[in-house]
Every structure is written in C-alpha cells, then in structure tokens.
Amino acid sequence: MRDVWIAAAAMTRFGRRSESLEDLMADAALEALREADRQPDALVVTAMAPEEFVGEGNLASHIGTYLGLSHVPGLRVETATSSGAAALYAGLALIASGFHNHVLVVGGEKMTHVSTPRVSEIISRVIDPHERSYGATMPALAGMVARAALAKGLFTEMDMARVAVKNHAHGARNPYAHFQRTVTLEEVMSSRLIADPLRLQHCCPISDGAAAVVLTSDPTGLKLAGMGQGSDYLAIRYRSSLTGFRATQDAARAAFKMAGFGPERVQVAEIHDAFAPFEILALEDTGLFPPGTATRAIQNGELTLEGRLPVNPSGGLNARGHALAATGLAQVVELVWQLTGRAVGRQVKATVGLAHSIGGMATNNWVTLVEQVA
Amino acid sequence: METIAGSRCPDCGWVVAPPARICPRHPVEMTPVEISGYGLVLSYTTLTVAPEGFKPPLHIAVVELPGGARIFCHGRQTRQLKIGRRVAIEQVDGIFYFASLGIADRVSMFWKRRGAAPERTREAVKSAVKRFFSGYKNDGTTPPAENGEEKDPRPTEKR
C-alpha cells in the first residue's frame, strides 16, 4: 500500500450562503487545485442529499462537468453526515491502491434555502424507519443519548454548556465559521429547549458550505497517516449502549493501527460535536481521554486553544457549522491549516491532528489522522 | 395487557420489535414472537421542534420490553418519567404509546386520526374497556392525564 499525502486543502466560509451548491463546491475545489499545482487524475464528489435539497443527481458527472473535469473519472460517495470523511477515504484508497496518483476530493451541501422543518425531515431519513416513524429526528436521538448519559452521571448539563461556550469562543476567531461570536454559560443554559435536555446552543446550525482536499502519491510533508471507519446498527434501539458509540471506537482503533502510533501523539483534534455532549463522548470513544476523564479536562480548560489538547479550534460543528457532506473535509482542512501554521487567529502548536466524523446517529463514523512529517 | 409483535433469531435468540425479517446480528431469518406490552424506560425526550408531519411538543421514549427488545413510543407527556421506570405500552392503530391514557385522551386521539369517525369512536371505547378489564394496575408512577392541555402529537396529515 502506498503512502498518501495531502497536497492542498481549501474551504468556503460556512453559514447562510447565497451561492449555489455548484459554486460553493467550485470555490473550494478551484482554490485547492491552485494550491496543489497538480492536475487530478480522479475526482471524488460528495453531497449528502442534493436530490432533496437542490434537485440535482448524477453528482460526480454534474460537478465534474461544472469544474471542467468531465474527462477525469469521478465517483460520488455518501455515508450520511460523515460523507466528507468517506469521500476522503475513497480518495485515499484510490491512491494507496496505485489506481490513481492525484485525487481531488470535494464535498458540499446547500440547504439554508429550505425551511427548517423540511431540512429536519430530510436529514431524519438517515434514521431507522421505526424510530423515524415516531418523529425521531437527529436532535431527538441525541437528546435521548444525552439524557441517558446524564442519568449515568457521565457529565452534567453544565459540562454540555461548557463545550458550547468553548467552541463558540474558538469559532469567534475563525473567519470561516458560521457563528463568529462568543456565548456565555448562562446564554447556553437558558437557550430554548430543542430536544430535552438539549438546548438550541448545544446544537449545530444548518449551514451551507463546501470543502476540498487534494491527495497525492507525491510526498508533500503532510501525511494522511491513518484513517479508520467504524459502523453500527442503523437503529439505536438495537445497541447495547446509548452512551458510547461503537462506530467511533472501531474507527479510532483502525486509524491508529494504520498510522502506527497511539492517541498520546495527537496534539489537536476536530471532533463531530453536532450536539455538544457528543464531543465529551467522542473524546473518550477515540481514546484521546481515558473513560471518565474528559469532563475534568473540559472543566480545567485543557481543550481550549491555549490548553493541553485543543479540541475544535475551528469552532467545531457547534460554531464553524455543519454543512453535512462538507463537514468531514472541513475538519481536515482545519487540521492542515493548524499543522502548517495557517490557522490565523486561532493557531495552535501541533504536528499530529485527529478528525472525528459521525455519520447518521453514529452508524458510519470515521477517524482521520494527519501528520506533519519533518 | 397488550401483546407486541416481535421476532426472534433461531440462532442467537435475540428478540427485536417491530419484527425484522433478518436478525440484525447476522444474516439469519427470524421467526415471529409475541411480547408482553410493558417495559422499562431506557431514555426519553420531548421535541419542541418537530419534523414535518408532527406537532410539537412531541414526547418520545425508548422502552425495553421483557426479553430485551426495545421499541420507540409516544406519550402525552414526560413529566415524572424517569429512566428505569416501568411503563405499560398500548397500541393504537399500530402506534405504541407509553403509560396510561385517559378515556377522553383516547377518544380525541382516535378522532384526530384519519378514518371514519364512528369506527374510531368504537375502537377507542373498545380499547378503554379492554384496559379496564385487563387487570392492568396503575402503579402510581403515571401522572393523571390532563385533558385538553396538550395537543395530539401524531401527524395531522399523512406524508
């Protein structure tokens, strides 16, 4: 298996955007291609639900043509809300296998033009049909997970709020973030209930945006050191535990195995905090913190930009935003910027970064490790 | 007491509900099984923002039935509900509800769903009568239903 390297990474600002899905993806892709200075010999495209949100299908060809790359073999990858990470994995596999040498991976989502109940309904199609038929949405399932974790004493409502406060503080320093303002503990704790005990400020926004990464077989100094996928039952009612995600645990194990090092080398992490309590669960599921220690790290400020292990320097899904299929790639863009000293206003010191992406209600998760090799 | 349709894996013995054709643990065809309609609350939530086709506030619980199968169900409220609490499950038009429902609640719930009104009423009364004679005891954990205070959480129209 060949080593795979990152040649370039770019993204658009996340948020309520007036541009089309095609233009958002083009903005990210063209910037990444300029920086990569290589012509791609394969294209991996991802959007989670373009058929529903923008009425477009045959996406690999559609975006390939829009980008002037119709002559380049393209494919579309989709694993619900972790589609960006899955697309990166497809790119990794295309190069590691020797099939291709330079792959453009681009993901995007455009959905703020659709009404919130409609967006909620479209996204909830990633949920098991029985559970969905009871009106279970992603916030509903996350609310159930959070309540079960609170009842077990894994964390408190204050800890959930601390995550949101930290990630908004980071987002306030990221010009690419959907929310570029700080919030206080009181604001989070008094924001309106969405899915009891989850409040509005615990939940990621509905965002538009795109991100792109160019992978190559040429050593660039920035190595895609490890990637792992983990899966679980579509139905959360089939799972033995509601308060930890097997898909994250398996993904982390596979990623660290491929990279040949352990969690102790990770110095910065982008975590899928679609709901604030998920960050706490993921910190332990990935092995970055031993069980029962993540809340103390949050309380001690260890996860801030100045802390021992900065988590979600971009602001995370909570503040940078969640443009579905763009998110898994945007996490890697942030890691690239952090590892190469280009994270203006929020720079941390790190040579190894971890990205964690959740697909659906943790049915198809990914852990990605990026390493700056001297 | 209600019985709930489920399925059991002939190989590993796992029981799931609603019935699945193939065991989610491995590709083996399951066989039908009936499960008693009560269980323990594993978790629950109240949605104040409901998806298209549902009216908030929407109360949803996941309940573990005897034998280990879990189902999702609706309720009229979650006040006084706790994880680990035992609730009864009732089926109305194939929809599961947790805890007990007053007769007036049931009538209004039937009335609001699609179908011929007289038939709904008959079914509602039948369901209430069945509950009355089934020997089901309210264990005191279920608060009395508040008539008219909360709206029917089910879809107002078919999707």
Side-chain angles (χ1 to χ4, degrees), chain B:
Chain B
M1 171 122 17
E2 291 276 342
T3 56
I4 292 166
S7 58
R8 181 193 302 276
C9 176
D11 276 15
C12 71
W14 198 24
V15 179
V16 299
R21 179 181 162 191
I22 295 163
C23 178
R25 281 191 187 149
H26 48 270
V28 172
E29 301 248 4
M30 302 186 95
T31 50
V33 63
E34 297 228 309
I35 307 167
S36 298
Y38 68 92
L40 302 177
V41 173
L42 290 184
S43 198
Y44 59 93
T45 190
T46 300
L47 276 180
T48 50
V49 180
E52 211 170 58
F54 292 87
K55 274 191 202 165
L58 185 64
H59 306 291
I60 313 173
V62 56
V63 172
E64 182 165 312
L65 306 171
R70 288 98 169 258
I71 53 164
F72 271 53
C73 44
H74 281 312
R76 282 185 69 85
Q77 58 163 304
T78 55
R79 257 173 290 162
Q80 296 183 39
L81 200 63
K82 275 206 169 96
I83 289 177
R85 185 151 284 175
R86 191 172 139 137
V87 292
I89 302 295
E90 177 152 355
Q91 282 180 81
V92 180
D93 272 8
I95 309 291
F96 301 129
Y97 294 86
F98 62 82
S100 71
L101 299 167
I103 289 174
D105 295 338
R106 275 181 258 188
V107 170
S108 75
M109 220 168 263
F110 277 104
W111 200 264
K112 286 187 178 185
R113 290 180 69 88
R114 187 177 277 187
E119 196 180 309
R120 307 245 144 258
T121 314
R122 204 160 51 238
E123 275 183 48
V125 171
K126 208 167 67 190
S127 157
V129 169
K130 190 170 71 180
R131 165 65 68 83
F132 189 77
F133 289 108
S134 67
Y136 167 73
K137 296 276 192 299
N138 189 327
D139 61 4
T141 60
T142 310
E146 289 133 315
N147 297 340
E149 190 182 308
E150 290 177 75
K151 292 195 181 89
D152 176 12
R154 295 298 307 174
T156 48
E157 54 194 48
K158 291 268 185 205
R159 268 181 278 158

Side-chain angles (χ1 to χ4, degrees), chain A residues 116 139 160 164 168 179 181 183 187-206 273-276 317-318, chain B residues 48-49:
Chain A
T116 299
M160 289 170 24
H168 274 79
F179 294 135
R181 57 179 168 77
V183 295
E187 281 176 274
V188 178
M189 302 278 279
S190 63
S191 61
R192 69 189 166 90
L193 279 169
I194 298 293
D196 190 16
L198 290 178
R199 295 175 178 277
L200 182 66
Q201 303 271 19
H202 294 131
C203 305
C204 64
I206 292 164
D273 60 330
F275 306 97
L317 280 65
N318 198 231
Chain B
T48 50
V49 180

